[in-house]
Amino acid sequence: RSSEAISKYVRREIRDLAKTDREKYFSALEVIYNHTQEEGTAIYGDDFTSYTELVALHDSSVYGYHTQNFFLTSHPSFQLQIENSLRSVYDDVMYPYWDFLIDSRLGENWAQSILYSEDWFGPANNTADTDYRPAGRFTNVEIPFDTTETEWPDATHGPYGSIGNELNFNPGKYLQRSNNFCGLQATMGFADCNYVSHCFGNYTSLYDFDVCIEKKVHAFLHSMHAGFFDCGVDWGTYLDDNPSVTIQRLSYFANIFIQQSVDVDKYFSMDVPSSCEAGVDNVDTCMATSSQFTSVEQIDALNDTYTLDLMQDWYAAVLDADVSTWNGLYIEIIDDSSSAWDGKYIPKGDDLTDEDKIALNRLLLKTNLFFGVFGPMGSGAATNDPIFWVMHQIFDKMAQSLRLSPNYNRGNLTWNNHGNDLDGENWEGTTTPFTQRIFSNLGTNLYPGTELLTNKQLWALLKPDGTDLPYVYDQFLHWGHCDFDPLEGVTPYPTAEPVMAPAPHVAR
């Protein structure tokens, strides 16, 4: 009896790479961020993918990659796509991952992680002095523009024609990354590693597992790096004048604000220009503005109850999104029939007086109505920032652990998706934007002649103990500073495979 050996390479935490391997990775990544698709293909071949193509693909208006099961197949596929591009530059490049849970111990000093060194990805605590651009090797990364919407017609376009959110009136031409929010250096750090075991121990379906890792572990990963500037109010000054509000509370609201800003016109009456002219307009001449108010001073003149009324839809959306475990600490609903505010949402805190809460509510209202701009990490254009490419493997690693675990893979892993009515979310029947090409060792799981892959096919190809996936992770025992082994157990259950969910649970 004979058997065939399968050779796979190891994905290691970026700090564990040898210095020469890490430098080769950064050098290859620089190539991807300094060449157009045409230039890169001419030099490095058909496996090369420029960052501009990846920005447009991740910021798709057609596919929905987040807050549902497609996250579990799409992001490992994105990683394989850029890995093939890296290997087209150097065929022996090591593609690392970042266990940002390690850096959760830095707390409010999270921006001091070694990953933000200038010779790595560049700083996160950038200010207006550098136009919020990270110093170092990626300081000149450009924002992709497509003013005619013909080069990337399926991407979301900003008002200036850049690839990015429709409500981001940022005229900037270069990558911006910052933890600065309206003059406040936000301190909300990375998720704690204990949420990893929480997600394993508390899911009842594959969808629940995905939602847990996206909302509790991924959490503020993007908004922490997006920044928010050119605001109508200064949060740093507000904190100086109102220290009882605390920087921790304001940092929470800052991150929530960035995540909700892409939908500001859903919660408030806003005049939103459809386009701006690059080189002519700026944040003073082309910006989403309030339909009701023309100055922040007008908000100060409103009575307290009306300012609360104006904010109710926003608070409700924040709680409904349930992105942060901090929601219950900082937002509450008044349950007091004798109060004029009974049944209304309001900032929460035993350390705050009613006057403090109303003042904070006014600050949030002013910030919504007198809008600012943010960097690529605040939208689907997050792949514009090179640090994106080491952030998301930890979730692939969690999904692999779930599938391999004799303890946890016996749960309901049916593809019971609750999608966003966008393409690529179903188990089969609709295709994803990913092709066979991203897998370097294709096996029999693919149907003959298939070009674009379904989630059913991707899930089979991403099988961690299968023959098609070309890599393994270095270990599953440690997650940040937590020791948690999801594979521990003695009964050899097979890798869990989801199946098509019966109606009515099939993704829409």
Side-chain angles (χ1 to χ4, degrees), residues 143 168 170 175-177 225-229 373-379:
I143 303 295
N168 189 12
N170 190 338
L175 168 67
Q176 293 172 308
R177 181 198 305 147
H225 297 82
F228 204 81
F229 18 93
V373 300
F374 46 91
M377 269 289 185
S379 72

Side-chain angles (χ1 to χ4, degrees), residues 299-311:
I299 308 302
D300 289 325
L302 300 177
N303 71 63
D304 296 343
T305 301
Y306 187 46
T307 63
L308 279 176
D309 288 340
L310 289 172
M311 283 292 294

Side-chain angles (χ1 to χ4, degrees), residues 122-128 130-135 177-180 185:
N125 55 353
N126 302 296
T127 66
T130 63
D131 194 27
Y132 306 99
R133 292 166 60 181
R177 181 198 305 147
S178 183
N179 65 341
N180 186 290
Q185 290 289 317

Side-chain angles (χ1 to χ4, degrees), residues 70-86:
F70 192 20
F71 180 82
L72 299 174
T73 54
S74 62
H75 283 71
S77 298
F78 275 116
Q79 292 153 16
L80 282 168
Q81 190 160 358
I82 197 169
E83 185 168 8
N84 278 311
S85 189
L86 292 166

Side-chain angles (χ1 to χ4, degrees), residues 288-337:
T289 56
S290 170
S291 304
Q292 297 174 269
F293 307 101
T294 58
S295 71
V296 294
E297 288 75 21
Q298 288 179 287
I299 308 302
D300 289 325
L302 300 177
N303 71 63
D304 296 343
T305 301
Y306 187 46
T307 63
L308 279 176
D309 288 340
L310 289 172
M311 283 292 294
Q312 292 306 294
D313 287 347
W314 189 86
Y315 289 129
V318 169
L319 294 176
D320 183 62
D322 191 30
V323 172
S324 171
T325 54
W326 297 94
N327 287 347
L329 282 178
Y330 295 134
I331 300 175
E332 65 178 333
I333 188 166
I334 300 297
D335 183 13
D336 180 359
S337 59

Side-chain angles (χ1 to χ4, degrees), residues 239-285:
L239 180 63
D240 290 341
D241 295 339
N242 301 273
S244 62
V245 175
T246 74
I247 192 170
Q248 291 81 10
R249 180 181 280 106
L250 288 183
S251 295
Y252 157 80
F253 278 115
N255 278 277
I256 287 293
F257 196 97
I258 292 169
Q259 297 193 350
Q260 297 298 115
S261 64
V262 297
D263 291 319
V264 67
D265 57 338
K266 293 182 180 179
Y267 317 125
F268 305 95
S269 178
M270 305 290 288
D271 293 327
V272 182
S274 59
S275 64
C276 308
E277 187 174 351
V280 176
D281 283 317
N282 54 45
V283 293
D284 295 322
T285 62

